[in-house]
Amino acid sequence: MRLVAAFAVTLAIALAWAAPGVAQEPTPQTAQDKFKAARDFITDGKLDLAAQTLRAFLDTPATDKDFLALEARFGPGVFQRLQRVVQWSDNPIADKAAKKLVDDIIARANDASRKVA
C-alpha cells in the first residue's frame, strides 16, 4: 500500500512538472543570448555551466557586431572581467580549457574593437 501511495505521489509531481503551461527557460539561440546566459551562470556560481555556454557562444558565428553590442550593453571590459574567475572547474583539464576559452574570447573582442577604431 505504501508503495502504491509513493508511486502516486511521484507520478503526480512528474505530471505537474511536465504539464503544459509550465514555462521552461528557452535555450539561448543567438551569440548575444548565449553570452548573457553565461553571465547569468557566473552570477549564480555555476561556473562549469558558464564555461560550457561560453564555448557555445564562441562556437556560434559571433560577429564583430555581436562583440561590440555586448560591450555596449554590459560596459567596457565585459570580456576582460571573465578573467576574474579564479577556477572554472574542479577538473584541471576543464579549468585550463575554460581559461584558454576566455583568452580566445578576449582576443576576438579586441580584434572587433580594432576594426572599428
Side-chain angles (χ1 to χ4, degrees):
M1 186 67 168
R2 284 185 180 174
L3 182 61
V4 172
F7 178 76
V9 170
T10 304
L11 182 61
I13 291 171
L15 289 175
W17 181 76
V22 175
Q24 293 183 357
E25 293 278 329
T27 303
Q29 299 297 319
T30 68
Q32 292 185 39
D33 290 342
K34 289 177 184 180
F35 187 80
K36 167 119 178 34
R39 282 177 48 99
D40 292 344
F41 283 134
I42 292 169
T43 300
D44 294 342
K46 299 176 181 177
L47 301 176
D48 53 340
L49 291 175
Q52 292 172 16
T53 308
L54 287 173
R55 167 53 54 206
F57 161 72
L58 205 55
D59 288 345
T60 302
T63 64
D64 292 344
K65 184 178 175 182
D66 289 321
F67 280 94
L68 296 172
L70 287 165
E71 192 168 79
R73 180 176 180 185
F74 296 112
V78 64
F79 302 108
Q80 289 78 8
R81 283 192 292 272
L82 295 171
Q83 291 178 318
R84 292 182 184 170
V85 174
V86 177
Q87 185 177 4
W88 290 93
S89 173
D90 291 334
N91 178 325
I93 295 170
D95 187 60
K96 185 176 180 179
K99 289 176 181 175
K100 167 80 168 89
L101 176 65
V102 168
D103 291 341
D104 293 345
I105 290 171
I106 291 169
R108 288 275 315 274
N110 289 340
D111 287 343
S113 294
R114 277 190 218 106
K115 290 178 185 177
V116 171

